[in-house]
Amino acid sequence: MRQEDRPGADAMESLYPFLYSDQADLSAVLEQVRASTVAKVQEIGELRDAVCARDGTRMAGCAQQMAARFGTGGRLFAFGNGGSATDAQQLATLFLNPGGGLRPLPALALANDTSVVTALCNDIGVEVVFARQLAAFGGRNDIAVGRWPSWTASTTCSWRRPPRCTGSRRRRPRSTRCCGS
């Protein structure tokens, strides 16, 4: 099947036009790749600056609360769906392997255990898949960090008690305290 006949070919070409151009000039393609990379690095820097300006104080407060919880034996539970599950896995990995000679901190990405995730989704419902895991594994000083794109915002919550997991399949995980709220 030709590239132009494949579903999504236009989308791929719009993301990487230099790969689909009729140019055979390697140096021109490499220059386009370099320019694209430089633009992305600048965009990421601007985004980080904007987030820091908007949420820096709240994030620092959450970091202090997290440090206190880690100091009392707390663990980090990270979760999300789709690409956000990948973000959660990366977050847990950063705490487990901080590098630079820093002490690792206990962390777990709840989407990593596919057997548990798929069983809960099948038997109970996707809406409570992480709440059930937090109810089973979470303790008084643990930290839950969730990212779910269909929610209105990311949530970082410290669970003081297990989330309510009653029979309702529409109920979101709940906590008694969320940073910044």
Side-chain angles (χ1 to χ4, degrees):
M1 180 182 284
R2 296 178 313 163
Q3 174 65 29
E4 58 271 9
D5 295 335
R6 291 184 187 159
D10 290 339
M12 288 299 290
E13 187 171 344
S14 69
L15 291 172
Y16 307 103
F18 47 83
L19 296 178
Y20 297 94
S21 68
D22 292 332
Q23 296 181 29
D25 182 7
L26 179 61
S27 62
V29 170
L30 291 175
E31 176 54 31
Q32 287 178 335
V33 170
R34 187 200 68 74
S36 175
T37 302
V38 167
K40 182 54 74 177
V41 167
Q42 182 175 353
E43 179 184 340
I44 290 168
E46 291 169 0
L47 178 61
R48 287 179 178 167
D49 290 345
V51 168
C52 187
R54 185 187 67 220
D55 298 319
T57 302
R58 187 169 57 103
M59 289 169 47
C62 282
Q64 289 172 345
Q65 289 180 33
M66 291 173 71
R69 289 183 177 275
F70 281 123
T72 60
R75 301 163 296 171
L76 173 75
F77 293 99
F79 59 94
N81 73 327
S84 297
T86 303
D87 294 340
Q89 291 168 342
Q90 181 63 31
L91 180 64
T93 299
L94 289 171
F95 278 87
L96 290 168
N97 303 296
L102 297 172
R103 181 175 63 97
L105 296 168
L108 178 68
L110 296 180
N112 283 1
D113 191 337
T114 56
S115 298
V116 170
V117 170
T118 56
L120 287 170
C121 288
N122 184 60
D123 297 346
I124 299 169
V126 69
E127 297 87 357
V128 297
V129 67
F130 299 120
R132 288 292 176 114
Q133 291 181 75
L134 289 168
F137 302 127
R140 178 175 185 82
N141 293 316
D142 290 335
I143 305 153
V145 177
R147 176 76 174 104
W148 198 282
S150 60
W151 290 1
T152 56
S154 292
T155 56
T156 304
C157 302
S158 300
W159 299 92
R160 297 196 187 282
R161 66 175 191 250
R164 287 180 261 184
C165 298
T166 60
S168 172
R169 294 179 64 159
R170 294 277 177 206
R171 193 167 292 191
R172 287 188 190 156
R174 296 180 187 249
S175 73
T176 57
R177 174 127 168 78
C178 291
C179 297
S181 61

